[in-house]
Amino acid sequence: MRIATFTVTRDEKTFLPRWVKNSLKNFDPKDIYILDHQSDDGSVDDARSLGCNVETIYPPENPDASWFRDKMRQTQSDLLQKYDWVLFSESDEFVIPNPDIGNLRDVAQRMESEGIDFARCTGFDIVHDYTREPAMDFSADLWLPQRSRCIPWFSPYNNKMLYSKPIFSRVPLSWRNGFHDVGDANGRPIDVTRLEYLYLIHCHCLDMGETERRHSLRLRSQKELTHGAQLEMGNELNAKFDNFLKISHEIPEKIKGLF
């Protein structure tokens, strides 16, 4: 069985090295593909030196979400010409099989035996309780023990499955914007099986300071940040984290020791 994984990245000096490290638990470097949106922070250098495949991409000026959606669709389809299964995750998303099942190949074999061509992961959005928890120590072997709160994106905690993404597949997928679901021939979302034994750890809000840094980089790529804009961004981030914390739950012990 041949399996591959890919991501898209830009100036992700914090998350991309960890994404590569996590991927190496299930993939050989030659089966790891990184679409680099012209990073200039050196974040892809280590991945390239390890033997991962790094391709520089050149989106049009101010690309919208549909451009990236279509690029990821095409990349997945192309990889499935060479591989049996393909996993896609963004560089702040970490896919981890339940160790009771085994590795990702074991997950694929179980899916094949159950006649499942593609599936949702079980998603957890990790949220920094910034008024009580210190900044993340990104050099630590484990990140989740440094945090206490998460948003589980599945029932009974949540009727939405926003970050229980359908990203592991042996067939080409018609992802909708954001890769949160798959569309039918008319673009309407379809029901997709969720695997309880394949976890997706989403780290966009893992650390308030890192979220602010990444957001600033993206805004600077579009316009020069004024002091007023920086203050407005900070207020918006505080409100975002506060709203997430209101709907958060304790991180389950079953995943705390995995990442």
Side-chain angles (χ1 to χ4, degrees), residues 47-84:
R48 187 180 283 112
S49 67
L50 287 169
C52 302
N53 303 278
V54 180
E55 174 193 349
T56 303
I57 59 174
Y58 299 91
E61 186 176 356
N62 297 323
D64 59 15
S66 63
W67 188 93
F68 285 99
R69 177 204 65 201
D70 293 344
K71 179 65 176 177
M72 300 311 112
R73 284 181 180 179
Q74 187 60 55
T75 300
Q76 188 221 26
S77 180
D78 291 345
L79 288 173
L80 283 169
Q81 299 299 311
K82 301 189 296 181
Y83 294 92
D84 301 302

Side-chain angles (χ1 to χ4, degrees), residues 123-168:
F124 298 91
D125 214 335
I126 311 303
V127 186
H128 184 191
D129 190 351
Y130 65 97
T131 64
R132 302 184 182 197
E133 296 168 342
M136 175 66 57
D137 176 7
F138 288 107
S139 67
D141 289 337
L142 293 176
W143 287 1
L144 293 189
Q146 301 180 57
R147 294 293 178 254
S148 60
R149 310 299 296 177
C150 73
I151 302 173
W153 289 103
F154 51 91
S155 179
Y157 302 99
N158 202 318
N159 291 328
K160 298 179 180 179
M161 289 199 284
L162 193 64
Y163 282 99
S164 290
K165 290 184 175 182
I167 52 177
F168 191 40

Side-chain angles (χ1 to χ4, degrees), residues 35 56 60 78 85 101 113 125 139-140 162 170 175 189 198 228 242 249:
L35 304 181
T56 303
D78 291 345
W85 288 84
I101 298 297
S113 70
D125 214 335
S139 67
L162 193 64
R170 59 176 173 175
W175 283 306
L198 187 62
D242 290 341
H249 299 262

Side-chain angles (χ1 to χ4, degrees), residues 3-46:
I3 63 174
T5 188
F6 74 103
T7 192
V8 61
T9 186
R10 184 177 189 181
D11 295 327
E12 291 284 6
K13 66 180 183 180
T14 299
F15 288 126
L16 184 63
R18 189 64 177 232
W19 184 91
V20 171
K21 179 180 179 181
N22 188 64
S23 297
L24 287 170
K25 297 176 182 178
N26 289 283
F27 302 91
D28 292 331
K30 68 181 188 308
D31 301 319
I32 297 173
Y33 295 80
I34 298 169
L35 304 181
D36 176 35
H37 185 185
Q38 305 163 65
S39 296
D40 59 11
D41 65 347
S43 55
V44 300
D45 294 346
D46 286 346

